[in-house]
Amino acid sequence: MTRGCRIVRWTVALFATLCCALSTAEAQSAKQYRIAWLVSTPSSVPSMKAAIASFQAELRKFGYVEGKNLTVTYKFADQGIDALGAHAKELAATKPDLILTDSSFAALAAKGATTRVPILMAVSAAPVQQGLAASLAKPGGNITGMTLMAPQTAEKRLELLKLAVPRIKRV
């Protein structure tokens, strides 16, 4: 499984968790959910088709089907990263239920476009340092998501490594 597909699965799991806050009756009603997906790579990248297909398949597992109870609007960085700000404003203007981002670049663009629409970032290396969250424990604002390489967790990772490999001398 590629890294992109794993991130898609994590993102869908996060989205599904947010949706589970709704009652089962509401989730099965005729409500049309709207997701705006701000993608920091061009649509021509070969892995994007696989990522979108994986995203759609994972959502179907939770009962969300594009064209039935879900609309997804995709905006890609076909004109480069600099276009993300304009794309984010365009997407926010449609008042989606959620803006999904695939990177810190896209999350920052979405943050600049809205403070009302929830933003779900698939992954960010350092959300606190990048201004996406006030802290890991209490992010604040309208952004949530995952971080894999937060500097605050480096000490804990070394501690866990030392527990797993007690004789380790150098990392």
Side-chain angles (χ1 to χ4, degrees), residues 149-163:
M149 299 302 292
Q152 296 91 328
T153 61
E155 185 177 330
K156 190 65 173 177
R157 284 191 194 107
L158 287 173
E159 181 184 323
L160 291 172
L161 181 60
K162 184 74 173 158
L163 285 171

Side-chain angles (χ1 to χ4, degrees), residues 1 5 13 37 49 52 56-57 61 67 79 98 123 144 150 158:
M1 181 186 308
C5 287
W37 190 355
K49 284 185 183 175
I52 290 170
Q56 292 168 335
K61 289 180 185 178
Q79 295 83 26
L98 175 75
V123 68
T144 191
L158 287 173

Side-chain angles (χ1 to χ4, degrees), residues 85-142:
H87 289 331
K89 287 177 185 170
E90 239 180 272
L91 291 171
T94 68
K95 296 188 172 137
D97 296 302
L98 175 75
I99 295 176
L100 176 62
T101 65
D102 69 334
S103 69
S104 297
F105 295 115
L108 285 165
K111 180 183 179 188
T114 182
T115 57
R116 295 188 181 270
V117 178
I119 299 168
L120 176 60
M121 62 181 175
V123 68
S124 172
V128 175
Q129 291 76 6
Q130 293 171 323
L132 293 168
S135 73
L136 291 179
K138 295 185 180 188
N142 61 324

